[in-house]
Amino acid sequence: MMKMRIGVLALLVALSVVEFGLASPNTVPAFLWSPHLQAANGELDEAVNYQVMSAKDLVGSVFTHGGWSNFLCSEKKVEQPVDVALVFIGRELLSSDVSSRRNSDPSLVNTLNNLFTASNFSLAFPYIAAPEEERMESLLLSGLKQACPHNVGVSNIVFSDSCLVEDGTIQKLSDLQSFKDHLLARRETRKEGETDLVVLCSEGSQSHSERESISELVSSVEQSGSKYTALYVSDPYWYTSYKTLQRFLAESATGNSSSVGVSTTCDELCKFKSSLLEGILVGIVFLLILISGLCCMAGIDTPTRFETPQDS
């Protein structure tokens, strides 16, 4: 009986650890879909990979299981080519947001769900470890070169200005309307069998929300009659770090400028940091006092009994 209780307890602990790991705030979701691609048997192909994988492995799965290497590499021929490969790199969703729909945009989740379920081919990756050393757009370019070692068959690669890529030969567009105009122009100039790679990175503070950007761009591609496949992946951590770095550089530039017109006020973030630092310092002082007191008390060595004095 005791062994059974211990076994049940161990099982519950293991399940709780697994659940905590899957719902970790450091994982993000990714969705791959296409209304034009189909499985080999012609039926709907829907799959969900519940494994926690790295962002690099995700890019590899997109090119292999998603079939992107078949139409983005010039040395490979496919029976189901697509005209446009869309990539949306968001900054909002976490894995926990998709499962519980808390602290997220429900309209964005609903839009992705509708596009995902209405497609003939779809793959979902709910738990992707957020990249720490490289941004998602850089991993995408690296994965493209690795999947197509001999020759990349992409006829046209376009990134948004908000994407941080070091390749100076890549064309960049400023806003959503520029992407629409580009897709319309490419419809007239694109040759048969060619595939364009279009990558849109969310800025977080842009005029269009992620839901609006995805809906409008997909609608524009569908209205043009182009065949497409799309990938959405969230990468919120680099965006947060980048905005923090921007703020720090702006404050440094302001501090190095002339004293005329320089603002010396402390905003809410400054007050929060100063209060936090003050609390940490006070806590360290009290901790040192507590440790010193405990050491002094532990060092007191008094006899447990006293001998009776002898009469002379």
Side-chain angles (χ1 to χ4, degrees):
M1 188 66 176
M2 181 61 68
K3 293 182 178 180
M4 181 180 296
R5 290 180 179 179
I6 295 177
V8 173
L9 180 60
L11 179 60
L12 292 177
V13 172
L15 290 176
S16 64
V17 170
V18 172
E19 182 180 0
F20 176 78
L22 294 179
S24 171
N26 295 326
T27 58
V28 295
F31 304 96
L32 176 66
W33 73 91
S34 175
H36 306 286
L37 297 179
Q38 291 184 348
N41 54 8
E43 299 178 356
L44 296 181
D45 189 3
E46 297 180 1
V48 180
N49 189 337
Y50 290 101
Q51 294 181 348
V52 179
M53 63 173 58
S54 65
K56 185 177 181 180
D57 292 337
L58 167 68
V59 174
S61 297
V62 170
F63 282 99
T64 54
H65 298 90
W68 281 33
S69 60
N70 294 331
F71 46 83
L72 293 182
C73 300
S74 59
E75 68 272 11
K76 298 181 180 180
K77 298 181 181 180
V78 295
E79 299 178 356
Q80 305 178 68
V82 295
D83 302 319
V84 182
L86 299 175
V87 179
F88 302 97
I89 301 179
R91 312 296 186 196
E92 297 181 7
L93 289 184
L94 300 175
S95 298
S96 57
D97 295 331
V98 177
S99 59
S100 61
R101 298 195 179 185
R102 293 180 299 180
N103 302 324
S104 64
D105 184 5
S107 59
L108 174 60
V109 177
N110 292 334
T111 299
L112 292 173
N113 180 66
N114 294 335
L115 292 172
F116 185 84
T117 55
S119 298
N120 294 328
F121 177 85
S122 57
L123 291 174
F125 307 89
Y127 307 108
I128 305 298
E132 298 180 356
E133 298 180 356
E134 290 187 78
R135 292 191 55 151
M136 189 63 68
E137 48 266 39
S138 300
L139 291 174
L140 182 65
L141 282 179
S142 301
L144 177 62
K145 295 177 182 179
Q146 185 176 0
C148 309
H150 302 291
N151 188 15
V152 176
V154 185
S155 59
N156 188 269
I157 301 179
V158 176
F159 279 74
S160 62
D161 285 336
S162 53
C163 297
L164 296 182
V165 289
E166 299 179 356
D167 193 343
T169 61
I170 294 179
Q171 181 182 0
K172 287 192 174 184
L173 300 178
S174 58
D175 53 13
L176 187 60
Q177 186 60 42
S178 301
F179 278 91
K180 294 181 180 180
D181 297 338
H182 171 79
L183 292 173
L184 184 60
R186 285 293 300 167
R187 177 192 173 188
E188 304 297 334
T189 59
R190 186 188 304 113
K191 298 180 181 179
E192 185 178 358
E194 291 183 343
T195 302
D196 296 344
L197 178 62
V198 178
V199 183
L200 177 62
C201 301
S202 175
E203 297 180 87
S205 60
Q206 58 189 3
S207 57
H208 294 82
S209 64
E210 290 187 16
R211 183 197 64 81
E212 293 173 342
S213 299
I214 295 174
S215 300
E216 293 184 19
L217 199 57
V218 169
S219 177
S220 178
V221 174
E222 291 178 344
Q223 290 177 2
S224 66
S226 301
K227 298 181 180 180
Y228 77 94
T229 178
L231 168 69
Y232 174 88
V233 59
S234 184
D235 185 14
Y237 301 103
W238 266 100
Y239 169 73
T240 304
S241 303
Y242 177 67
K243 297 301 289 184
T244 303
L245 178 61
Q246 275 189 328
R247 184 182 185 278
F248 173 76
L249 294 177
E251 291 178 351
S252 300
T254 304
N256 294 331
S257 61
S258 60
S259 58
V260 180
V262 176
S263 175
T264 58
T265 59
C266 185
D267 57 5
E268 296 297 329
L269 181 59
C270 173
K271 294 178 181 179
F272 172 76
K273 290 182 177 180
S274 61
S275 301
L276 181 61
L277 181 59
E278 181 181 357
I280 292 175
L281 293 177
V282 173
I284 292 175
V285 172
F286 278 106
L287 182 61
L288 291 176
I289 295 175
L290 177 62
I291 294 175
S292 300
L294 293 176
C295 292
C296 292
M297 293 181 63
I300 298 176
D301 188 12
T302 57
T304 56
R305 61 181 181 177
F306 298 91
E307 296 182 358
T308 304
Q310 297 179 358
D311 296 336
S312 57

